[in-house]
Amino acid sequence: MKEVPNILWLEEIRKEDIISVGGKAASLGEMASIGLPVPKAFVVTAQAFRRFLVETALEKKIFSSFEKLDVEDNAALEKTAENAKALVMKAKMPAAIRDDIRASYKKISEGELIVAVRSSATAEDLPDASFAGQQETFLNVRGEAALISSVQKCWASLYGARALYYRAKQGFDDHTVNIAVVVQQLVPSEKAGVMFTSHPITGESITIIEGSWGLGEAVVSGSVSPDKYEFDQRAEKLVDTFIANKKIEIIADGDHGTKVMDVPKDRQDAQVLSEAEVAKLAMYGKIAENHYGVPQDVEWGIVDGTIYILQSRPITTIGKKEAKGMASQKSNAKIILQGQGAAPGIATGRVVIIRDVKDTGSVKEGDILVTKMTNPDMVPAMRKVAAIVTDEGGMTCHAAIVSRELGTPAVVGTKNATNVLKNGQLITVDGEMGLIYEGEVVHAAPAAAPLAIAAHAPIITATSVKVNVSIPEAAARAAATGADGVGLLRIEHLILGLNKTPGWFIANHKEEDFVAELHDGIKIVLDAFPGKTVWVRTLDAPTDEFRNMQGGENEPHEHNPMLGWRGIRRDLQSPDQFRLQVESFKRLWKEGYENLGIMFPMVSHPDQFIKGKEMMRGWGVDVDKVTLGIMIEIPSSAIMIEDFIRAGIKFASFGTNDLIQYTLAIDRNNENVADMYNPQHPAVLHLIHNAIQTCRAYDVECSICGQAGSDPKMAVWLVEHGITSISANIDAIAKIREAVARTEKRIILEAARTKDAE
């Protein structure tokens, strides 16, 4: 058998070479062979990597460390992975391999060509094993020294924690999985993105193309909302276009690496692709799909009007091909309302208009609930319906939060749904696009959606990625995201769902019923997250939400309830109400739920935390042994965070929904000023940054559980500024974890480069 060299050129490679070059490189070779525009490249073969392991005597050292590894033990997994990667990085690359890489680099270009250095594991991108993203990629690499270093870092990434975990779970033997490295001309894309040659869920002949400005990393990482184009292969025409607001782009930075830049305002809302470019991309995608015989996930870039195909792999998320997608039906369906897509999914049902919470008894299973704005006391009705539509609200409103947790499609902020729609009217709600259609529109079965989640292996991050939960029914769905715990469990939805105020239970001598209900609801969530932190927020319901419930007759009428008698300020003045909550916590701690943490909302001064803690002590809680913290929602609590730490808090979590409102004097649900609601206002970021740094100095966990924590761009900023954990909405966990992982890798990489340069 002919010995495989250290280097293979792209023109030499075919799919049969996968054992030597990995799935990614084999795919590139195949695409080049059928005439697709692939940038020039060479591959450092898997055999070269194996020679490196043998000649440096690393094989035994590395593989012996894996023998007794329990990949479910995160600490052990991380330690083993770091040790293995360190061994690879410290070893000296054999001269023959190093010289071959240098010679090939010179051959590919007379000058110091800028290249992308991409890992290509020998089982990567196969139809039954998508290893994509588990090994490293380095963009904008220039010069021999940087190239040699990047190749060795790719090799080391074969033993990263996520890769080890995935291989163990998929039954791959670490001894037999090798890694090749693709060294490819970097296309300095003016615009780039991803293309699914067929619908990624149904397999229907709809090519979906997403694109944005700059390098494709912005789209792949989820750090920008891209334009979306749907091209019907059967009709050979563009059938749907969505133009997003694209605020950032990723571009090459100097001689090594990339940087994130703000997109000029005149390009933010500009359409990225012309209709001709969409059609040409779709044609290239179909050529690739026909060649491989299966739908493809293709990365592309465009420079000076020239399209380049950068990567192609099989789509692993396709479910039943006979399922009907909605995309092809939209052009014929009549849109009767438009709002903000707040919870993804599509549902058809009869309209039931609710103008008062007392009318919720008329709601039946499968209805579409239409109301001005939902409140927590509507939750029982919200559990029944197929979709929710509101006149008011945004992504942070109650309807949006609860709908996402229930997995119920929702469109908010339509302004006039309660006037335009009629009781009994048949409509279809698209909760992703924010559209309301007349009548029934055939759409994809929602059951197929989770397949996209199942196809991805867990990503391990140093920053904890937790999940927000509002109702016990959402616990299993929240746990299925793989979240590192619950950063916010809102108990007011539990209480308000009873349709009786705490005062009613006290006045009617039904205190035990209240305590039991609260205990049982929290327990469901704790049981879904064994061994993981669950932070429960004490009652934080404004007075207007109590007023429509039994016992709410004497609630005060406040001009602005959001700034009124709520949170810890009410509990401290209503000790019986606070005592009932504490009794349920005590029972859970006594049952062994040591992972239960309690946080006080609407705290404005350390004295409030101290008083609440002492009241708990008086009711028999060993406050020195339980985990107590605060929400940072009022600017004063951010400013005085050091005083709170001295008062004994164990953790703090930013409630950005309120912190932004109170810092900027903006009501986020008031359509007249809602566009001024800015999570990244310099004043808000200043408060958050300073609080994070103070918590880090005192080794106090600092988190975020407001809506801003579900924004990948904000997550990147928070990780860069040192936050300990991020708690996001259920539907945002995957993209937040991806953003966190990429940011952490970039920080480590930049630190290593700085150290190397010194």
Side-chain angles (χ1 to χ4, degrees), residues 74 459-467 482-487 532-533 535 701-705 709 715 718-719 722-728 733 736-737 740-741 744:
N74 281 353
I459 303 174
I460 298 170
T461 57
T463 307
S464 294
V465 178
K466 302 179 182 179
V467 64
D484 299 319
V486 177
K532 296 181 179 181
T533 303
W535 288 345
E701 181 169 357
C702 189
S703 187
I704 183 173
C705 57
L718 289 164
V719 173
I723 201 159
T724 318
S725 63
I726 295 175
S727 192
I733 292 296
I736 294 302
R737 192 179 288 281
V740 168
E744 290 178 346

Side-chain angles (χ1 to χ4, degrees), residues 143-162:
E144 291 181 3
L147 173 57
I148 297 295
S149 174
S150 296
V151 169
Q152 203 150 342
K153 287 174 182 176
C154 283
W155 287 348
S157 72
L158 185 66
Y159 304 120
R162 184 185 177 204

